[in-house]
Amino acid sequence: MSANLRLALHSVPAILLPAILLPSYCGSVVTGRFRTSRVDVLARLKVVTEDGKAEVLEGTTVHPIWSVDRDDWVPLGELVEGEQLLADNGPATVRSIQLVRTSAIVRAILMFSTSAYV
């Protein structure tokens, strides 16, 4: 028995889409599990894209995002102001980072060679 899983990504900030979407010709078998957990701290980033558009990103402090400066995946909680991130339309610059104490439920689907966060 096989099934397809489609994620509604309309609420995901555009800047994160390159990090979680697979090319249309590609796919991955879910080899892990759907995981729900509660966190007490979130990282809130204010970023500005090359075209001047400002966005707020919020995620777990360990959520990976591509740093253009480091040429590597970096946890949100380890980013620094001024760091360049990969956005869907070019680089975006981190303007501020704030660690927010809260009680939030987060979810992840663990997949072969990648993770898709929703």
Side-chain angles (χ1 to χ4, degrees), residues 10-115:
H10 56 82
S11 63
V12 175
I15 195 169
L16 292 180
L17 292 179
I20 62 174
L21 293 181
L22 297 171
S24 60
Y25 61 85
C26 234
S28 288
V29 175
V30 175
T31 59
R33 65 187 183 280
F34 185 81
R35 184 176 64 204
T36 300
S37 56
R38 182 175 299 279
V39 296
D40 296 322
V41 178
L42 293 175
R44 183 177 295 151
L45 284 69
K46 292 183 182 174
V47 299
V48 177
T49 60
E50 234 177 11
D51 60 2
K53 183 178 178 186
E55 290 195 45
V56 175
L57 305 178
E58 194 170 81
T60 62
T61 57
V62 296
H63 182 88
I65 193 163
W66 188 260
S67 168
V68 174
D69 295 337
R70 301 184 207 191
D71 195 28
D72 201 2
W73 294 101
V74 177
L76 286 178
E78 295 179 19
L79 295 170
V80 296
E81 289 182 13
E83 190 156 358
Q84 297 284 303
L85 307 177
L86 179 61
D88 61 344
N89 59 346
T93 304
V94 176
R95 291 293 182 218
S96 68
I97 302 171
Q98 179 183 15
L99 296 181
V100 179
R101 293 219 171 267
T102 186
S103 182
I105 294 175
V106 296
R107 295 173 179 87
I109 298 174
L110 306 179
M111 302 177 78
F112 176 72
S113 78
T114 189
S115 291

